[in-house]
């Protein structure tokens, strides 16, 4: 079977290059122009094969979703018959119910749009909470959720083998337990209550932290307040040092600054979203995922 072409946007060239290298897919760029009024013009390569993979992480999601709304049908007009979206960070997964009457259930709506545009969708550590399977949130023919937590845990183990691994909230328990099983880390999970975008209350787990090097492991750092609050409590409780390992380094606004000011010694992240803290590449993981889908 002919290799699919990997289409990418210029601002994700680093990950695209890595992915092309490990997967052997030929790489072509989608040209993107923003008009003065904010509208987007895309230009795709005109020599597309039957199978196309589009790489688009959905941080700063609103313009990037528009990129996909324009790119996918254009790829079909240019001859593509099978489209796979590789979205290492998949946005809008947290609003999985109407918390107050009248709220849009964004997870369901965005998931449906993507499923209408693409035959297959691959992502990494999507924030699935009340909806457990990616396929239920994104009902494409194929929907594959990969996890970068084992890669991050490996990195943590190399740097701080005796770390106490802490998840800042209930949702992180899955990654904490997996990492603890693989490397024998002592571990625990906090209880978190969110009162607002930048207002979270955290309760530490009942594990001794005094004198320990603690690594907070989570899927997303967005406003950074979850990590700030957890770090402060850990340091107040006598932790020797606090490090952070996250899959998706969104770091909105002043997030990185407030995390560092809270006393976090170092931040490790994956390149699912390009950021200066990236130390783990998700390209090999995505390449495996693409192979897995191709076999089905
Ligand atoms: C939510 O439960 C996620 O696992 C993250 O903990 C959360 O999205 C982080 O958000 P923020 O950085 O804004 O506190």
């Amino acid at each position: 079977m002919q290799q699919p072409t990997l289409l990418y946007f210029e601002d994700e060239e680093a990950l695209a290059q890595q992915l092309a290298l490990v997967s052997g897919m030929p790489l072509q760029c989608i040209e993107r122009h923003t008009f003065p009024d904010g509208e987007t013009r895309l230009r795709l390569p005109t020599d597309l094969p039957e199978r196309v993979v589009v790489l688009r992480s959905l941080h700063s999601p609103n313009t990037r979703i528009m990129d996909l709304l324009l790119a996918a049908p254009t790829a079909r007009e240019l001859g593509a018959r099978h489209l796979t979206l590789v979205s290492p960070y998949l946005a809008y997964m947290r609003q999985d119910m109407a918390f107050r009457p009248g709220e849009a259930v964004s997870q369901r709506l965005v998931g449906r749009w993507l499923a209408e545009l693409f035959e297959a969708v691959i992502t990494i550590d999507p924030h699935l909470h009340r909806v457990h399977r990616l396929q239920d949130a994104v009902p494409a023919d194929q929907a594959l959720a990969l996890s970068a937590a084992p890669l991050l845990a490996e990195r943590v183990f190399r740097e701080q083998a005796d770390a106490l691994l802490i998840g800042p909230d209930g949702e992180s328990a899955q990654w904490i337990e997996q990492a603890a099983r693989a490397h024998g880390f002592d571990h625990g999970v906090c209880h978190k209550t969110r009162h607002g975008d930048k207002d979270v209350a955290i309760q530490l787990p009942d594990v001794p932290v005094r004198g320990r090097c603690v690594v907070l492991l989570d899927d997303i750092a967005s406003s950074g307040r979850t990590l700030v609050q957890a770090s402060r409590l850990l340091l107040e409780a006598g932790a020797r040092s606090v490090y952070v390992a996250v899959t998706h380094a969104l770091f909105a606004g002043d997030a990185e600054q407030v995390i560092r000011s809270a006393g976090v010694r170092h931040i490790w992240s994956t390149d699912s979203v390009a950021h200066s803290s990236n130390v783990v590449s998700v390209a090999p993981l995505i390449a495996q995922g693409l192979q897995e889908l191709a076999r089905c």
Side-chain angles (χ1 to χ4, degrees):
M1 192 172 28
Q2 193 191 359
Q3 275 277 41
T5 285
L6 174 61
L7 293 181
Y8 72 100
F9 292 80
E10 209 180 357
D11 56 356
E12 285 173 298
E13 182 165 7
L15 178 57
Q17 295 277 8
Q18 288 284 328
L19 183 53
L21 195 71
V22 290
S23 66
M25 286 187 288
L27 190 62
Q28 298 211 61
C29 187
I30 297 179
E31 282 175 31
R32 186 178 192 285
H33 174 74
T34 305
F35 289 103
D37 61 2
E39 287 187 5
T40 303
R41 180 187 66 210
L42 299 185
R43 180 160 176 253
L44 278 69
T46 51
D47 52 346
L48 291 178
E50 198 164 301
R51 297 175 80 87
V52 165
V53 175
V54 179
L55 174 68
R56 200 66 177 138
S57 228
L58 294 178
H59 48 294
S60 305
N62 297 351
T63 53
R64 286 155 182 265
I65 287 174
M66 179 53 82
D67 290 343
L68 298 179
L69 288 169
L70 297 173
T74 308
R76 287 189 203 280
E77 281 168 19
L78 292 166
R81 295 277 164 273
H82 185 281
L83 297 179
T84 299
L85 169 65
V86 172
S87 190
Y89 172 63
L90 189 56
Y92 282 111
M93 291 295 110
R94 282 173 285 183
Q95 183 82 22
D96 59 3
M97 61 176 275
F99 295 92
R100 289 173 306 156
E103 279 181 359
V105 183
S106 320
Q107 183 194 74
R108 191 162 66 214
L109 299 171
V110 172
R112 273 191 212 144
W113 297 341
L114 297 179
E116 278 164 22
L117 295 171
F118 296 91
E119 276 79 15
V121 174
I122 298 182
T123 188
I124 299 173
D125 293 331
H127 193 88
L128 298 176
H129 183 198
R130 281 156 284 260
V131 173
H132 299 290
R133 290 182 340 132
L134 181 64
Q135 187 93 42
D136 295 332
V138 183
D141 295 350
Q142 294 178 300
L144 180 62
L146 303 165
S147 179
L151 299 174
L152 278 174
E154 228 175 273
R155 176 71 189 213
V156 170
F157 187 70
R158 275 217 315 273
E159 302 277 348
Q160 302 287 346
D162 63 343
L164 167 64
L165 209 57
I166 296 287
D169 54 29
E171 289 93 346
S172 60
Q174 48 184 316
W175 303 299
I176 298 291
E177 280 155 18
Q178 205 181 13
R181 264 199 309 277
H183 300 286
F185 291 118
D186 292 337
H187 60 285
V189 173
C190 302
H191 179 76
K192 178 171 90 179
T193 312
R194 185 176 284 282
H195 300 295
D197 290 345
K198 294 189 175 180
D199 184 7
V200 294
I202 283 186
Q203 204 185 323
L204 291 183
D206 193 13
V207 291
V209 300
R210 182 159 296 282
R212 298 296 305 264
C213 159
V214 180
V215 176
L216 283 163
L217 178 73
D218 205 3
D219 56 345
I220 304 169
S222 176
S223 73
R225 267 47 183 194
T226 298
L227 294 169
V228 164
Q229 198 52 22
S231 307
R232 280 196 189 130
L233 292 174
L234 286 162
L235 289 168
E236 278 167 23
R240 188 173 81 235
S241 50
V242 176
Y243 294 74
V244 157
V246 285
T247 301
H248 306 299
L250 304 185
F251 294 118
D254 62 357
E256 187 183 354
Q257 190 192 324
V258 291
I259 290 171
R260 293 195 190 278
S261 307
V264 168
R265 201 171 278 187
H266 204 78
I267 303 172
W268 299 299
S269 67
T270 80
D271 58 358
S272 75
V273 174
H275 186 262
S276 55
S277 61
N278 294 167
V279 289
V280 169
S281 181
V282 291
L285 186 66
I286 296 171
Q288 278 170 24
L290 285 165
Q291 274 178 6
E292 192 181 322
L293 290 191
R295 279 196 296 272
C296 295

